[in-house]
Amino acid sequence: MAEEFGNYLKQLRESKGLTINQLAALAGISGAQISRIENGLRGVPKPATLRKIAEATEVSYEELMGHAGYLTGAESSPEGSIPVWATSKDKRDFRQMLEDDGELMFDGIPLNKEDKQRIKDVLTGLFWEAKQMNKRTQPKHNPGKE
């Protein structure tokens, strides 16, 4: 997935007529990081990095999240986009997180719809990233070898 996203980012950058250093400056990240992403030497960027790249390239955040594998095109589902590796338990956990939908405020002022959506986008990316990392770090359990 990292290599596929790297190729996509390189094509996107070149289509915008940007050098690695120009994109890095616009996004506020290092040129070395952009280069590692494009060459598949770094994993898929975190949602916060994708947001910076989206703003720098004037491409939608959701499009980058999709190409990075965080979204699977199920935007119309109530849960938002769900990665293909998500189990039914993961989906239940995500629905539970979204159902806790109290009034979102900042400094005592309710957030508008656009700000709420941006927060939801970031939380969605972070949720699935954490789930995926947890799956990679959990020790494998062999029931027959105790």
Side-chain angles (χ1 to χ4, degrees):
M1 177 53 80
E3 196 171 320
E4 288 175 29
F5 182 78
N7 290 333
Y8 165 76
L9 180 59
K10 183 175 183 177
Q11 289 175 353
L12 174 63
R13 176 181 57 77
E14 289 175 346
S15 75
K16 299 288 182 176
L18 298 171
T19 65
I20 287 175
N21 290 332
Q22 288 171 328
L23 175 57
L26 289 170
I29 57 181
S30 75
Q33 185 176 4
I34 297 284
S35 179
R36 286 191 303 269
I37 294 168
E38 287 186 358
N39 291 305
L41 301 175
R42 184 189 179 281
V44 173
K46 294 179 179 173
T49 302
L50 292 175
R51 168 114 15 231
K52 292 176 183 180
I53 293 171
E55 291 172 1
T57 58
E58 299 178 337
V59 170
S60 80
Y61 175 64
E62 291 75 19
E63 181 178 336
L64 285 183
M65 289 286 282
H67 280 282
Y70 290 108
L71 307 179
T72 61
E75 284 83 13
S76 60
S77 75
E79 302 88 25
S81 298
I82 300 171
V84 293
W85 50 261
T87 65
S88 58
K89 182 183 180 310
D90 295 335
K91 293 173 189 176
R92 184 199 69 216
D93 291 348
F94 186 60
R95 273 192 303 277
Q96 211 168 16
M97 181 190 80
L98 289 179
E99 286 170 6
D100 186 15
D101 194 21
E103 184 70 34
L104 290 176
M105 300 179 125
F106 181 76
D107 261 353
I109 301 169
L111 298 176
N112 65 29
K113 186 176 180 178
E114 181 180 299
D115 289 338
K116 285 180 186 178
Q117 186 59 48
R118 290 184 80 185
I119 289 169
K120 183 180 175 184
D121 292 344
V122 171
L123 287 175
T124 298
L126 291 172
F127 179 90
W128 291 119
E129 180 182 343
K131 278 286 189 183
Q132 190 171 36
M133 285 173 51
N134 188 36
K135 288 180 184 304
R136 282 185 272 192
T137 58
Q138 285 182 345
K140 301 290 184 221
H141 178 69
N142 288 335
K145 300 199 173 190
E146 307 234 20

